[in-house]
Amino acid sequence: MPKVLLPLKGSEKVGLIGLGTSTRGVAEVLAHSGIGTLTLRAKETIPSLLPPSFAVRCYTGDTVYDEIWEDILFFSPSARREDPRLLAAKSRGCRFSSDAELFFDNTHAPVFAVTGSDGKSTTATLTSLLLSGGAYDVRLAGNIGRALSPLLFSEGRNTLTVAELSSFQLQYLSPRTRRAVITNLTPNHLNWHKDFAEYKEAKSHLLTYAEDAVLSADDEGCVSLFSGIRPFAVFSVRESLSSLLRYRARHVFTLSEEAICLDGRRLLPLSEIRLPGVYNIKNFMAAIALSMGYTDEERILSVARTFSGISHRAELVATRGGVRYVDSSIDSSPARTLSTLSALTDPPILLIGGKGKGVPFDSLIPTILS
């Protein structure tokens, strides 16, 4: 089992902020590394969710950040780090980390990273499928529901990791990756980020140490982040090959003659792609760009023909009395809802709702009315 180099010195005291998938992953690493005692600070503390080997001291409710005496705190992605009590602890020498930071500090395997406002789960899943089927041991983790740090124990010579990263994770992280893509940028999570500028800045951290960066040329927000960066690949469903040459990318993906084209050559006919919608053509372009050199055309064609999408994203769940019921509850922003609606062939009866994230819904109105 590979050794994980924890950022600890001697018998330092360890705490977890929050009890989600990522912090439970950190707890698993701590347990394997012989740590026996930790502090759990969360809105709701359920110590039984942690490995049974731990002696746990809990702080909850209004006392979550009281009496911070730990030497290092591992944060859940949804927990911000600017509370005055946290900053006071940091000034006393307390160090901050997370599941993703622990993983990227220790991994030696190539990482293919995906972020973006929309399409990142589909793109990350497609990338993992394109990389699989050969000599590689491919793992998919991160914001897609699986902690990153426990993967360190099963890392081998042929390991490849596909990491889906959220703006919450990237707020405090600039990871080193083999290849990275930002699928698009639209306002999101503005109930957590101070404003869209901070959200965009967090996403941009993915490009800081990427060996190869993939550019979505159809998205103005993404293009603005590539100032001074020469992309490994650029993709567009709107622009021509000659137009995209201005980015000086090594590879160019375009949409032409009813096919995804690579450097002007037909690569994947649209008729072979099982997933509907222009947004999924973009997801395929991004995933193929990420996996270049690690997959082949036969694998690309096989994935296109068989991949039916991720759960809760334009997912057909039932047909009753000639009526199709589609679950797209993962569309937690107006932009995602618009993308899904654009892929439907029949006018839908639309049921929408949920908790807002500080994002205006005005953009939905014209489409709903039409």
Side-chain angles (χ1 to χ4, degrees):
M1 179 181 292
K3 184 178 181 180
V4 178
L5 298 176
L6 291 170
L8 301 177
K9 304 169 186 175
S11 58
E12 289 189 312
K13 302 175 182 65
V14 182
L16 303 179
I17 303 292
L19 190 57
T21 299
S22 63
T23 43
R24 292 202 301 272
V26 171
E28 183 181 335
V29 174
L30 294 172
H32 275 99
S33 302
I35 305 299
T37 304
L38 58 77
T39 304
L40 174 59
R41 299 175 179 272
K43 292 180 180 179
E44 296 181 357
T45 57
I46 310 175
S48 61
L49 294 177
L50 297 172
S53 58
F54 284 118
V56 182
R57 181 175 180 178
C58 297
Y59 291 82
T60 188
D62 295 335
T63 69
V64 167
Y65 293 145
D66 287 355
E67 304 175 7
I68 297 178
W69 43 268
E70 296 92 335
D71 298 296
I72 184 167
L73 293 171
F74 290 93
F75 283 76
S76 167
S78 62
R80 291 194 67 106
R81 306 181 185 184
E82 292 83 12
D83 185 283
R85 291 166 293 181
L86 291 172
L87 296 178
K90 189 174 184 179
S91 68
R92 294 193 298 269
C94 180
R95 303 186 305 284
F96 296 168
S97 189
S98 67
D99 167 62
E101 289 165 87
L102 181 59
F103 171 77
F104 280 102
D105 285 345
N106 283 274
T107 186
H108 297 288
V111 179
F112 302 79
V114 182
T115 194
S117 302
D118 311 309
K120 57 183 178 291
S121 293
T122 299
T123 300
T125 303
L126 280 170
T127 302
S128 70
L129 292 172
L130 292 173
L131 295 173
S132 301
Y136 301 111
D137 170 28
V138 181
R139 295 95 54 81
L140 172 62
N143 190 58
I144 203 161
R146 183 184 185 189
L148 283 159
S149 55
L151 300 181
L152 294 167
F153 292 117
S154 59
E155 193 169 286
R157 290 184 178 180
N158 295 322
T159 295
L160 303 177
T161 302
V162 180
E164 179 190 322
L165 298 173
S166 70
S167 61
F168 298 172
Q169 291 167 305
L170 290 167
Q171 178 75 16
Y172 307 102
L173 173 70
S174 295
R176 294 187 180 277
T177 61
R178 174 67 186 89
R179 205 164 281 163
V181 66
I182 302 175
T183 56
N184 50 45
L185 282 173
T186 58
N188 207 343
H189 298 298
L190 299 187
N191 58 333
W192 192 90
H193 289 283
K194 296 175 183 177
D195 50 33
F196 183 52
E198 184 189 82
Y199 172 78
K200 184 177 176 181
E201 173 67 21
K203 294 291 192 183
S204 74
H205 293 169
L206 188 63
L207 304 178
T208 306
Y209 298 113
E211 292 180 38
D212 291 332
V214 177
L215 169 62
S216 172
D218 291 339
D219 189 276
E220 293 181 3
C222 290
V223 171
S224 69
L225 297 181
F226 272 74
S227 177
I229 299 176
R230 182 181 179 182
F232 165 76
V234 59
F235 65 90
S236 171
V237 298
R238 296 200 298 254
E239 294 194 52
S240 65
L241 173 62
S242 59
S243 173
L244 292 171
L245 292 178
R246 70 185 185 277
Y247 292 109
R248 299 185 300 112
R250 277 181 274 173
H251 300 286
V252 178
F253 290 84
T254 54
L255 182 60
S256 179
E257 299 179 3
E258 292 298 307
I260 292 176
C261 298
L262 170 58
D263 300 330
R265 181 179 64 85
R266 282 172 61 90
L267 176 66
L268 179 62
L270 300 188
S271 59
E272 300 287 1
I273 300 177
R274 185 173 177 180
L275 290 178
V278 173
Y279 66 95
N280 277 316
I281 297 173
K282 294 181 181 181
N283 292 337
F284 257 99
M285 287 178 170
I288 295 170
L290 285 176
S291 58
M292 287 184 69
Y294 297 84
T295 192
D296 55 37
E297 293 188 25
E298 182 179 353
R299 182 66 184 171
I300 292 170
L301 186 60
S302 174
V303 171
R305 288 172 172 171
T306 58
F307 181 60
S308 59
I310 61 175
S311 297
H312 312 299
R313 180 71 157 119
E315 179 185 14
L316 180 63
V317 293
T319 301
R320 296 288 186 274
V323 178
R324 292 180 296 137
Y325 293 84
V326 177
D327 171 14
S328 212
S329 54
I330 203 173
D331 296 348
S332 56
S333 72
R336 293 182 196 175
T337 301
L338 289 171
S339 293
T340 299
L341 291 175
S342 70
L344 298 177
T345 55
D346 300 313
I349 296 174
L350 182 62
L351 304 177
I352 56 176
K355 183 178 180 181
K357 297 186 289 183
V359 179
F361 291 88
D362 306 52
S363 59
L364 284 173
I365 296 173
T367 298
I368 292 174
L369 292 178
S370 64

